[in-house]
Amino acid sequence: MAVAIAAARVWRQSRILGQAALLLLLRRPGARGLAISHPHRQQEQQFSSLDDKPQFPGASAEFIDKLEFIQPNVISGIPIYRVMDRQGQIINPSEDPHLPKEKVLKFYKSMTLLNTMDRILYESQRQGRISFYMTNYGEEGTHVGSAAALDNTDLVFGQYREAGVLMYRDYPLELFMAQCYGNVSDLGKGRQMPVHYGCKERHFVTISSPLATQIPQAVGAAYAAKRANANRVVICYFGEGAASEGDAHAGFNFAATLECPIIFFCRNNGYAISTPTSEQYRGDGIAARGPGYGILSIRVDGNDVFAVYNATKEARRRAVAENQPFLIEAMTYRIGHHSTSDDSSAYRSVDEVNYWDKQDHPISRLRHYLLSQGWWDEEQEKAWRKQSRKKVMEAFEQAERKPKPNPNLLFSDVYQEMPSQLRKQQESLARHLQTYGEHYPLEHFDK
Amino acid sequence: MAAVGSAASWLFRLRAAGAEGHWRRLCGAGLARGFLHPAATGKDAAQRRQVAHFTFQPDPEPREYGQTQKMNLFQSITSALDNSLAKDPTAVIFGEDVAFGGVFRCTVGLRDKYDFGVHVQNMEDSCTGKDRVFNTPLCEQGIVGFGIGIAVTGATAIAEIQFADYIFPAFDQIVNEAAKYRYRSGDLFNCGSLTIRSPWGCVGHGALYHSQSPEAFFAHCPGIKVVIPRSPFQAKGLLLSCIEDKNPCIFFEPKILYRAAVEQVPVEPYNIPLSQAEVIQEGRDVTLVAWGTQVHVIREVASMAKEKLGVSCEIIDLRTIIPWDVDTVCKSVIKTGRLLISHEAPLTGGFASEISSTIQEECFLNLEAPISRVCGYDTPFPHIFEPFYIPDKWKCYDALRKMINY
């Protein structure tokens, strides 16, 4: 494994040296050339019966005459990169990104506004106002740290727990709410369950419920961005549970073999609904899988917004410059329930949840940092809490009052053009409603 | 999901011979020939393999699209792909083994032809710039997911699934993602510039996993289009329409026709409209509906009916499975009063059931006899029993005869 990573490093550096130099680095003495289309990925081997070195096309490795199984290391796994300690103090000053005050305040306000919106919308589901909701408690740092490290035009493929990315990109509260309420202002035209956000303007591809399907799609988008010389990275978010899906394996392998400028960002929050990581995988998390695909990988403290920022920033720079994928596994904790359909006290202790809420929360850690910088204080905190709550409540009340979209929108966008048979079905619903309309909630829908 | 057996062994031989860029040298020992026409033993008559169950009938040379060239089905596909790569700089073709020309030769020559080497940012990364026609790892769910992603950015993605039998790992990406992309996003996003091509249908010896016709699985999925050509001329025009269509399309290519079907095909691009069935022969007494290879079977059945029964058949090639052309079939059945639908795919839940159900709803009072479906049996596609399995001309003729005498 280490050899493969070292070799990969050699190959990457040699891009600068040029192809001829590359072949020199890899050529073994006394070998004849083999016609291959990607010499920088496979060694040029020459076949000779006098040479006892391996000739296999499938691996670049030496022989060994001792039988030994490689032991996966899960006790002392890939280390977790962090910049701040749990009290928000910078540990290694050379890793401090030295971000300006306005930017760090934007981090803080995005995370707290998201938190406030989550509390209100979760409650609104409990009250029967919206059908479903998923909170982001505890993972705000993974969203905001990564979003801040990207360009605004970088394409985002998410899973469902990345609302902070949209928040950071200034997606208005009105539109978050519109989607959750499925009201007439919803850009998604009321077609999906709450939290399935999408925004073309902000380059956030609409969320879908099936897990991990976005992973190979993100790779394709990155390939197209590479071909277009767009100087754009694609970031793909997913949880540690979704990483078990076949689509994840497909995505990683395609990204590496097709040399795509993509950041795979895994939010490892400890649970996939009720399934703890010990039942999700047996290896060293998700970061350890990257090298298996030939992907540069790192594990970071997802509750440290600066660590997330630094890792994403560097991954972005290199992914675009070198056209290769990066894997970031952000360790974090899902403080909330999986969704409003879940009660996590059924499978984990309240003490465990409280630890993370009180002792290792991305918002608290950043607040400590802000306080120690003198960029924030109790008064501003109080004022901001009041202001953010007010903003959310206003948007919430507005969203409640708006009607739902016209039922005709049930039928459009299946294809770009409406097929004649579907138009007939639309007409048959219209006729049905003329006679039986009283049995349908038409008063809530746009005329 | 590797194709085992003869396909694989031919591939290995080609690799050993330094296949890339040297396909033409191996013409005589090509994979496609090996797969599509396995050598007959030539000894005992009883041991000799069956001849094809149909005779390909070329259409008259098209005059309205300019100069034509004799092409077989795979060549007409190559021509369509060539036209696409030429017209559309964003178009890319990918899948298993497409780089060297594909296991059915559909992409021969394209990689070299479109290697301009200028698109990739760092030239060292892709030493030959061959970023338009490329192999992917062996993973259908990846191929389709990747293709969706390309299409989401607005570029044209032409994905190949090596055999329709292997499309199922990609079923989730097709049905849950591609088909629903536009609808679920409120038209903010779509993957309309995705086309999936795949060899389809019986081939004489393909058995369970090289013979399937899975169109019925996809017919149940609003949001995609499914198209099946009967000939080289149809294939090129329909494939170009699929590629240019603003909705994700699946284009199934009858593999038994790749070499067997030869006709004059225009060299320049042209389009045949989707969701329009074609009445390829007018008639008065009975309507026959089929698609792909089976169109040639029912053409022969129509001749038999004329000769032996004095019955005049109207033959319809459906061409697009969804959204399908209900009006053309209805109009025909209103005229004839009798409908026979035939496909290789198994009877239960096959697409003939959808046609039958709709036609009896729309044309009930015009029907003189129950609608007849002549299809494959409700079994997996067998190997040695293929001649008994397929809905051949005798089965179709017999069903037609019963319908006439009803």
Side-chain angles (χ1 to χ4, degrees):
Chain A
M1 207 56 83
V3 175
I5 297 169
R9 240 181 265 134
V10 167
W11 290 333
R12 301 303 173 209
Q13 284 164 5
S14 67
R15 286 166 203 276
I16 302 148
L17 298 174
Q19 224 159 278
L22 164 66
L23 296 176
L24 275 171
L25 280 170
L26 296 173
R27 182 176 286 275
R28 285 178 168 158
R32 185 168 45 80
L34 169 71
I36 39 177
S37 55
H38 299 283
H40 65 279
R41 271 196 252 120
Q42 272 190 310
Q43 291 195 28
E44 279 226 336
Q45 294 211 19
Q46 298 173 359
F47 294 104
S48 164
S49 56
L50 300 175
D51 197 339
D52 196 25
K53 301 221 187 295
Q55 310 291 336
F56 304 111
S60 168
E62 296 290 338
F63 282 123
I64 188 174
D65 51 28
K66 182 163 172 249
L67 175 64
E68 200 181 312
F69 289 97
I70 297 168
Q71 172 92 334
N73 192 342
V74 295
I75 306 300
S76 186
I78 294 172
I80 304 165
Y81 170 72
R82 65 173 181 171
V83 175
M84 289 188 281
D85 63 20
R86 293 191 184 98
Q87 287 73 43
Q89 302 310 304
I90 305 286
I91 296 165
N92 179 350
S94 66
E95 295 296 308
D96 185 345
H98 295 295
L99 296 174
K101 178 177 168 184
E102 317 80 61
K103 190 149 180 145
V104 184
L105 281 176
K106 185 174 160 84
F107 287 13
Y108 187 71
K109 288 189 174 175
S110 301
M111 293 199 285
T112 48
L113 187 60
L114 175 62
N115 190 272
T116 304
M117 183 180 82
D118 273 352
R119 288 178 200 283
I120 285 166
L121 285 175
Y122 184 90
E123 200 43 46
S124 83
Q125 192 278 342
R126 277 1 222 165
Q127 294 171 12
R129 297 168 192 268
I130 60 176
S131 62
F132 176 81
Y133 193 70
M134 298 177 98
T135 58
N136 301 274
Y137 302 148
E139 301 185 50
E140 299 89 345
T142 61
H143 307 174
V144 168
S146 54
L150 303 170
D151 281 7
N152 280 332
T153 53
D154 288 337
L155 195 55
V156 176
F157 284 79
Q159 179 170 300
Y160 53 55
R161 218 183 292 277
E162 294 91 14
V165 175
L166 266 177
M167 192 66 89
Y168 189 82
R169 286 188 174 179
D170 301 312
Y171 194 59
L173 290 170
E174 182 203 344
L175 290 181
F176 278 113
M177 307 269 177
Q179 198 285 324
C180 289
Y181 275 88
N183 69 28
V184 84
S185 299
D186 177 23
L187 300 177
K189 300 178 188 169
R191 287 163 185 160
Q192 292 212 81
M193 284 168 74
V195 312
H196 288 64
Y197 310 115
C199 184
K200 187 170 173 183
E201 236 180 274
R202 291 169 179 83
H203 310 283
F204 189 96
V205 180
T206 303
I207 298 302
S208 73
S209 308
L211 295 182
T213 48
Q214 74 277 15
I215 302 179
Q217 293 172 19
V219 177
Y223 188 87
K226 174 174 85 165
R227 283 209 72 243
N229 269 323
N231 270 317
R232 223 180 165 195
V233 89
V234 174
I235 190 164
C236 182
Y237 295 92
F238 52 95
E240 86 286 349
S244 294
E245 283 279 2
D247 272 344
H249 161 70
F252 297 157
N253 200 21
F254 276 55
T257 53
L258 300 173
E259 298 169 356
C260 300
I262 181 168
I263 300 171
F264 293 115
F265 194 103
C266 177
R267 293 176 293 97
N268 187 331
N269 64 13
Y271 290 89
I273 308 187
S274 70
T275 306
T277 54
S278 58
E279 290 170 14
Q280 195 63 249
Y281 53 75
R282 225 21 90 77
D284 177 23
I286 313 313
R289 299 180 196 171
Y293 294 97
I295 297 177
L296 285 158
S297 311
I298 191 170
R299 173 172 281 153
V300 306
D301 179 346
N303 292 352
D304 174 348
V305 72
F306 293 138
V308 173
Y309 176 85
N310 284 352
T312 308
K313 193 98 185 146
E314 178 64 359
R316 189 204 184 275
R317 184 187 71 77
R318 292 188 60 184
V320 173
E322 299 165 26
N323 281 317
Q324 63 168 320
F326 282 79
L327 172 60
I328 300 173
E329 182 182 20
M331 308 309 293
T332 181
Y333 187 83
R334 193 195 78 208
I335 289 174
H337 307 299
H338 166 70
S339 72
T340 48
S341 308
D342 177 47
D343 175 5
S344 62
S345 67
Y347 51 83
R348 60 183 183 177
S349 73
V350 174
D351 286 342
E352 180 184 301
V353 178
N354 275 336
Y355 165 79
W356 290 95
D357 197 25
K358 304 282 182 288
Q359 317 277 7
D360 195 342
H361 198 293
I363 293 176
S364 315
R365 283 166 77 177
L366 187 63
R367 184 167 55 245
H368 291 315
Y369 175 84
L370 286 174
L371 292 171
S372 70
Q373 294 288 103
W375 291 347
W376 198 246
D377 59 37
E378 272 312 305
E379 236 180 77
Q380 287 175 286
E381 176 73 20
K382 260 201 241 161
W384 170 242
R385 278 194 204 210
K386 199 166 159 198
Q387 187 194 1
S388 55
R389 193 182 155 78
K390 181 158 179 277
K391 274 166 64 146
V392 173
M393 287 309 300
E394 273 168 11
F396 171 79
E397 276 148 22
Q398 273 212 14
E400 285 251 300
R401 281 198 292 269
K402 285 182 184 166
K404 310 301 182 196
N406 189 298
N408 272 327
L409 289 176
L410 191 167
F411 294 97
S412 54
D413 304 323
V414 178
Y415 297 90
Q416 193 199 42
E417 69 292 343
M418 191 181 295
S420 58
Q421 296 307 307
L422 189 56
R423 189 168 298 286
K424 287 189 187 151
Q425 294 176 10
Q426 184 182 48
E427 286 159 8
S428 98
L429 177 63
R431 283 193 302 274
H432 179 78
L433 290 174
Q434 275 172 2
T435 310
Y436 296 93
E438 58 179 301
H439 303 290
Y440 295 81
L442 282 168
E443 66 274 16
H444 300 302
F445 287 78
D446 210 22
K447 300 288 168 273
Chain B
M1 294 281 166
V4 188
S6 59
S9 66
W10 281 109
L11 260 176
F12 284 129
R13 285 233 216 145
L14 290 165
R15 275 209 167 277
E20 196 160 54
H22 300 293
W23 175 264
R24 281 180 202 87
R25 276 201 287 120
L26 300 160
C27 251
L31 167 74
R33 175 175 295 189
F35 189 84
L36 294 174
H37 298 286
T41 58
K43 291 176 184 157
D44 188 4
Q47 294 291 324
R48 212 175 302 132
R49 291 211 189 83
Q50 297 272 13
V51 297
H53 65 289
F54 68 98
T55 307
F56 172 72
Q57 197 165 320
D59 285 325
E61 180 179 353
R63 299 273 170 213
E64 62 272 50
Y65 301 111
Q67 191 199 357
T68 65
Q69 194 179 302
K70 190 159 105 171
M71 296 186 207
N72 63 25
L73 182 67
F74 74 72
Q75 289 165 337
S76 73
I77 302 292
T78 315
S79 178
L81 297 174
D82 192 349
N83 292 154
S84 294
L85 291 171
K87 295 198 281 176
D88 178 353
T90 73
V92 288
I93 301 171
F94 51 92
E96 294 154 24
D97 304 298
V98 300
F100 87 109
V103 294
F104 290 111
R105 301 210 226 165
C106 294
T107 50
V108 168
L110 297 177
R111 183 174 167 89
D112 288 338
K113 183 170 178 183
Y114 290 95
D115 171 21
F116 304 130
V118 293
H119 295 289
V120 180
Q121 189 173 347
N122 297 330
M123 271 313 299
E124 294 87 358
D125 288 354
S126 180
C127 54
T128 54
K130 284 182 161 126
D131 56 338
R132 299 198 70 188
V133 181
F134 54 94
N135 292 339
T136 63
L138 211 165
C139 180
E140 287 75 13
Q141 67 194 103
I143 289 168
V144 174
F146 178 82
I148 291 170
I150 290 178
V152 167
T153 69
T156 298
I158 305 167
E160 177 179 302
I161 299 295
Q162 199 158 82
F163 285 86
D165 314 57
Y166 308 141
I167 202 164
F168 301 107
F171 201 74
D172 188 41
Q173 285 284 353
I174 293 168
V175 167
N176 267 336
E177 298 288 316
K180 298 173 167 63
Y181 233 89
R182 190 189 296 275
Y183 187 81
R184 74 189 187 199
S185 69
D187 200 20
L188 291 178
F189 297 95
N190 71 78
C191 58
S193 55
L194 170 66
T195 301
I196 300 165
R197 315 174 19 251
S198 190
W200 167 103
C202 78
V203 72
H205 58 282
L208 285 79
Y209 303 112
H210 299 82
S211 313
Q212 287 180 48
S213 311
E215 66 274 10
F217 292 104
F218 299 101
H220 194 55
C221 179
I224 51 170
K225 297 191 177 182
V226 177
V227 177
I228 307 176
R230 69 171 184 273
S231 73
F233 170 75
Q234 291 290 316
K236 177 169 167 169
L238 288 168
L239 179 54
L240 283 169
S241 293
C242 285
I243 291 169
E244 289 156 27
D245 195 271
K246 305 290 186 211
N247 303 287
C249 297
I250 302 178
F251 186 77
F252 285 126
E253 304 168 356
K255 64 178 84 66
I256 202 173
L257 298 181
Y258 274 143
R259 285 161 49 87
V262 184
E263 62 187 0
Q264 294 295 120
V265 179
V267 172
E268 291 302 309
Y270 59 97
N271 293 92
I272 293 177
L274 303 184
S275 293
Q276 263 191 41
E278 188 183 355
V279 179
I280 63 178
Q281 179 180 295
E282 286 188 13
R284 288 180 316 274
D285 303 322
V286 59
T287 302
L288 308 178
V289 174
W291 47 90
T293 316
Q294 201 65 7
V295 173
H296 305 290
V297 174
I298 63 172
R299 262 174 153 154
E300 211 173 324
V301 173
S303 311
M304 288 160 73
K306 183 88 192 173
E307 196 193 303
K308 298 178 204 268
L309 306 168
V311 161
S312 151
C313 296
E314 182 144 294
I315 305 174
I316 298 179
D317 176 5
L318 196 65
R319 303 198 294 195
T320 299
I321 304 300
I322 51 152
W324 68 283
D325 185 356
V326 177
D327 291 344
T328 297
V329 181
C330 275
K331 189 164 153 214
S332 176
V333 175
I334 288 167
K335 181 169 72 168
T336 65
R338 292 177 182 84
L339 175 61
L340 183 151
I341 313 153
S342 186
H343 58 62
E344 290 168 23
L347 177 74
T348 299
F351 197 65
S353 27
E354 161 62 26
I355 298 173
S356 178
S357 186
T358 302
I359 297 304
Q360 66 85 28
E361 275 170 14
E362 302 290 322
C363 310
F364 185 72
L365 293 174
N366 302 95
L367 290 170
E368 297 291 337
I371 297 170
S372 180
R373 297 179 291 160
V374 185
C375 303
Y377 299 117
D378 288 333
T379 71
F381 201 109
H383 180 236
I384 213 70
F385 307 115
E386 176 164 337
F388 302 97
Y389 174 89
I390 52 174
D392 61 21
K393 61 192 179 193
W394 301 110
K395 292 179 188 172
C396 293
Y397 173 75
D398 192 54
L400 190 154
R401 195 179 50 79
K402 288 183 174 129
M403 231 180 10
I404 294 295
N405 295 330
Y406 186 77

